[in-house]
């Protein structure tokens, strides 16, 4: 039999080439071509392409209408409320979930906890429990057992196996009494023996995932795949992996912080951008039910004695360069502190260092402050940090970032009892944002007394002060209004205003 024609597959873009070259002609990536030898006749049932039948033997499709009885199985709740929330109220049987994140962030820990939480335990109603299997391709059985002991879940009847052959996994799971939840840690360690390429390559990851997903659909179990993240922060392996699964969850967090944020970036069965907040403790991940309190912890929060009418009192003991942003993560309001530091640039090009926010957006706001408000922000080094390790993606944070910047530049604290939100346009106008009521309610709940917000959308609502949910609302229509607002609070005790046209 002739040797099958070798082909070279780019590990970045999955394009196929007949010859090896140092650089992929399609995507331009260097050293990304790897030789793959496809098998001529894949064994029955384990075809890498999934088309084991001849086209002529296919069945005719029976098309149906959009309405009709649909028997959606109930969602499987893990009992870890933050995880259930991110999935849109629990896992959907027969669906595949991809969990990505940096090494050491806590993926294995969370999933072992989830498997254990789902497994039956004394006193738990039968209907609420499920059989769970944890298949590890990365760690030895002993390692997982040690972790389970540390997490205090070693008594839980989780089925544990160390395996990396998809054929073995399929043989063990393709049965009527398949477990209800299967965790595969990680998809990069799994391989199909029908392919000659090494585990972790594009074709192996794709084929292994495809096979496992097909099995999950057929047997109706929840499949959770752990995916590695490359240096660039994207899931290793082909992008198709994200297309193949029903839900993609990313586990994020700063190394130095204990907080871990689980974020849904794709969910066929629920809302995306929902987050779950956890704290890494010495006994695993602990849910954080009230993230706002956590993100604001350690801050000299609302000084109860501070009176709104007395800026000196309201800002006493508080440092400049920080503002509390009332944000929305998914369906949930979250308050976070935005911190800015402005220092004169020592080198020719000013430095910009941003943690937890978009650097381009920061450059835009600095430019708007320069061009529309006459503040020379852009010539300085700017450091911006979102406290607590949260990554904000909402444009509604613009005004809070601007407030932190102006506050840092003028050395005038934003009042400690004030939350800020609003989107800034290039013209300097402050645009309304969604979920205003939810943001204000959360701020009121946490003891804040004032909010700097965009102008209300309805014209009759008034421009100046109003009170909503116990918070006094200061509507700001243009960024210069924010600068004036802070300038009015500037006390002579502090250094003179730099750069502000007085
Ligand atoms: P792990 O779940 O192994 O990360 P991943 O699977 O994403 O690579 O997390 C390991 C890290 O979590 C490790 O640095 C130790 C820490 N950890 C704790 O702080 N407390 C614990 O109870 C456990 C189990 C881990
Ligand atoms: Mg792991």
């Amino acid at each position: 039999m002739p040797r099958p024609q070798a082909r070279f597959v780019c590990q970045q873009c999955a394009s196929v080439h007949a010859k090896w070259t140092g650089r992929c002609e399609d995507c331009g990536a260097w050293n990304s071509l790897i030789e793959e030898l496809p098998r001529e006749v894949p064994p029955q049932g384990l075809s890498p392409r999934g088309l084991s039948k001849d086209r002529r033997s296919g069945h005719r499709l029976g098309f149906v209408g959009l309405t009709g009885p649909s028997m959606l199985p109930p969602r499987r709740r893990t009992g870890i409320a933050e995880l259930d929330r991110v999935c849109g109220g629990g896992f959907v049987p027969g669906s595949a979930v991809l969990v990505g994140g940096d090494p050491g962030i806590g993926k294995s820990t969370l999933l072992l906890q989830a498997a254990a939480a789902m497994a039956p335990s004394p006193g738990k109603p039968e209907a609420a429990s499920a059989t769970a299997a944890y298949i590890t391709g990365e760690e030895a059985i002993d390692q997982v057992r040690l972790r389970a002991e540390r997490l205090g879940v070693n008594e839980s009847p989780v089925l544990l196996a160390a395996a990396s052959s998809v054929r073995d996994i399929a043989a063990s799971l393709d049965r009527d009494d398949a477990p209800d939840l299967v965790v595969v840690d990680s998809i990069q360690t799994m391989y199909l023996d029908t392919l000659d390429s090494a585990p972790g390559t594009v074709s192996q990851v794709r084929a292994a995932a495809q096979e496992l997903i097909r099995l999950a659909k057929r047997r109706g179990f929840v499949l959770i795949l752990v995916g590695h993240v490359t240096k660039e922060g994207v899931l290793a392996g082909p992008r198709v992996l994200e297309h193949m699964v029903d839900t993609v969850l990313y586990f994020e967090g700063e190394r130095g912080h204990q907080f871990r944020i689980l974020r849904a970036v794709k969910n066929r069965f629920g809302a995306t951008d929902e987050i779950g907040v956890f704290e890494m403790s010495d006994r695993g991940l602990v849910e954080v039910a009230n993230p706002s309190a956590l993100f604001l912890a350690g801050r000299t929060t609302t000084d109860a004695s501070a009176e709104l009418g007395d800026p000196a009192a309201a800002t006493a003991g508080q440092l400049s360069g920080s503002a509390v942003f009332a944000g929305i993560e998914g369906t949930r309001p979250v308050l976070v502190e935005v911190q800015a530091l402005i220092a004169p640039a020592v080198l020719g090009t000013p430095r910009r260092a941003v943690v937890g926010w978009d650097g381009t957006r920061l450059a835009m706001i600095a430019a708007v402050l320069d061009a529309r408000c006459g503040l020379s922000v852009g010539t300085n080094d700017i450091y911006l940090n979102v406290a607590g390790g949260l990554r904000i993606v909402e444009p509604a944070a613009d005004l809070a970032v601007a407030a932190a910047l102006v506050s840092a530049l003028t050395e005038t604290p934003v009042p400690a009892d004030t939350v800020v939100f609003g989107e800034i346009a290039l013209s300097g106008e402050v645009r309304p944002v969604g979920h205003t009521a939810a943001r204000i309610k959360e701020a009121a709940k946490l003891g804040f007394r004032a909010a700097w917000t965009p102008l209300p959308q309805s014209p009759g609502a008034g421009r100046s002060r109003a009170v909503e949910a116990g918070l006094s609302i200061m509507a700001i229509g243009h960024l210069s209004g924010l600068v004036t607002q802070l300038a009015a609070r500037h006390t002579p005790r502090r250094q003179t205003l730099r750069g502000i046209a007085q």
Side-chain angles (χ1 to χ4, degrees):
M1 201 174 97
R3 190 172 180 265
Q5 182 74 48
R7 44 184 216 150
F8 298 87
V9 181
C10 173
Q11 303 298 300
Q12 300 282 331
C13 69
S15 66
V16 181
H17 304 261
K19 271 196 318 201
W20 190 87
T21 45
R23 186 166 186 246
C24 172
E25 286 165 18
D26 286 334
C27 68
W30 286 97
N31 286 331
S32 66
L33 297 198
I34 289 196
E35 182 178 3
E36 289 180 2
L37 285 168
R39 281 236 172 144
E40 279 295 271
V41 189
Q44 272 283 305
L46 271 179
S47 151
R49 295 197 172 277
L51 258 183
S52 48
K53 282 189 179 166
D54 190 271
R55 190 156 50 89
R56 278 161 297 173
S57 64
H59 299 288
R60 278 185 64 174
L61 300 179
F63 289 100
V64 293
L66 287 177
T67 50
S70 53
M71 282 168 293
L72 273 185
R75 284 178 182 255
R76 292 212 172 271
R77 289 184 176 275
T78 57
I80 302 177
E82 292 291 302
L83 178 60
D84 291 339
R85 173 210 303 279
V86 176
C87 308
F91 293 117
V92 176
S95 73
V97 181
L98 181 64
V99 179
D102 289 332
I105 198 90
K107 302 181 292 295
S108 307
T109 306
L110 176 71
L111 295 176
L112 188 59
Q113 282 182 286
M118 272 179 102
S121 62
K124 190 170 164 185
E126 185 119 334
S129 35
T131 45
Y134 185 94
I135 299 168
T136 173
E138 304 212 318
E139 289 161 302
I141 296 281
D142 287 341
Q143 273 177 293
V144 181
R145 282 189 176 153
L146 270 175
R147 177 180 293 141
E149 205 170 310
R150 187 171 170 186
L151 299 173
V153 298
N154 48 340
E155 299 291 321
S156 187
V158 173
L159 307 165
L160 175 64
S164 51
S165 159
V166 175
R167 186 190 289 275
D168 293 351
I169 295 172
S172 325
L173 297 180
D174 199 359
R175 35 197 288 174
D176 289 337
D177 59 348
D180 301 306
L181 173 88
V182 176
V183 178
V184 175
D185 189 1
S186 66
I187 188 64
Q188 274 86 7
T189 55
M190 299 296 141
Y191 74 94
L192 264 171
D193 49 14
T194 48
L195 295 178
D196 276 348
S197 40
T201 53
V202 171
S203 7
Q204 280 290 7
V205 167
R206 182 166 48 190
Q210 212 158 35
E211 206 56 55
L212 290 169
I213 291 169
R214 211 174 308 142
L215 191 61
K217 299 248 183 286
R218 187 161 66 234
R219 291 295 171 188
F221 59 77
V222 179
L223 174 70
I224 304 184
L225 302 173
V226 174
H228 284 199
V229 167
T230 60
K231 289 197 294 297
E232 291 81 32
V234 294
L235 275 162
R239 272 323 273 246
V240 287
L241 203 51
E242 291 191 23
H243 296 294
M244 279 155 62
V245 296
D246 301 298
T247 305
V248 180
L249 308 178
Y250 267 97
F251 218 7
E252 341 173 309
E254 294 293 325
R255 268 291 166 110
H257 289 115
Q258 299 104 302
F259 319 132
R260 299 283 182 270
I261 290 146
L262 190 66
R263 189 187 292 273
V265 291
K266 164 183 173 177
N267 195 352
R268 288 189 182 146
F269 305 109
T272 52
D273 283 330
E274 195 69 84
I275 63 164
V277 185
F278 298 89
E279 194 171 354
M280 184 59 99
S281 73
D282 55 352
R283 286 178 61 93
L285 290 153
V286 183
E287 298 175 64
V288 176
N290 187 350
S292 301
L294 179 105
F295 292 129
L296 296 179
R299 183 188 147 84
T300 43
T301 35
T302 48
D303 185 358
S305 64
E307 283 300 317
L308 279 170
D310 179 359
T315 56
Q318 206 216 334
L319 297 175
S320 57
S322 97
V324 176
F325 167 54
I328 297 279
E329 290 289 345
T331 53
R332 188 160 53 160
V334 176
L335 302 193
V336 276
E337 185 182 348
V338 179
Q339 303 165 344
L341 175 69
I342 293 189
V346 268
L347 297 171
T349 319
R351 266 189 70 105
R352 302 275 185 271
V354 190
V355 178
W357 208 51
D358 182 16
T360 325
R361 202 111 193 138
L362 171 66
M364 189 198 97
I365 289 177
V368 174
L369 281 169
D370 272 348
R372 308 287 180 197
C373 308
L375 286 180
S376 52
V377 184
T379 51
N380 297 293
D381 287 348
I382 302 177
Y383 302 89
L384 192 85
N385 178 37
V386 176
L390 188 70
R391 186 170 55 81
I392 306 179
V393 287
E394 264 193 298
D398 290 355
L399 195 62
V401 171
L405 289 177
V406 176
S407 160
L409 187 76
T410 61
E411 291 170 20
T412 310
V414 174
D417 57 1
T418 301
V419 293
V420 186
F421 60 88
E423 184 179 344
I424 295 173
L426 286 179
S427 60
E429 271 170 85
V430 181
R431 295 263 175 82
V433 292
H435 306 287
T436 302
R439 294 173 205 267
I440 287 175
K441 225 168 100 191
E442 176 78 1
K445 208 166 82 191
L446 281 149
F448 285 82
R449 305 235 204 114
W452 293 355
T453 70
L455 285 179
Q457 262 158 321
S458 48
R463 183 191 166 84
S464 56
R465 288 193 170 206
V467 175
E468 204 173 317
L471 249 70
S472 80
I473 308 292
M474 171 66 67
I476 294 176
H478 193 274
L479 197 48
S480 55
L482 176 91
V483 177
T484 322
Q485 189 65 31
L486 276 168
R489 297 186 167 267
H490 183 78
T491 48
R493 275 188 293 122
R494 298 172 196 281
Q495 274 183 306
T496 48
L497 286 173
R498 269 190 279 146
I500 288 196
Q502 308 237 353

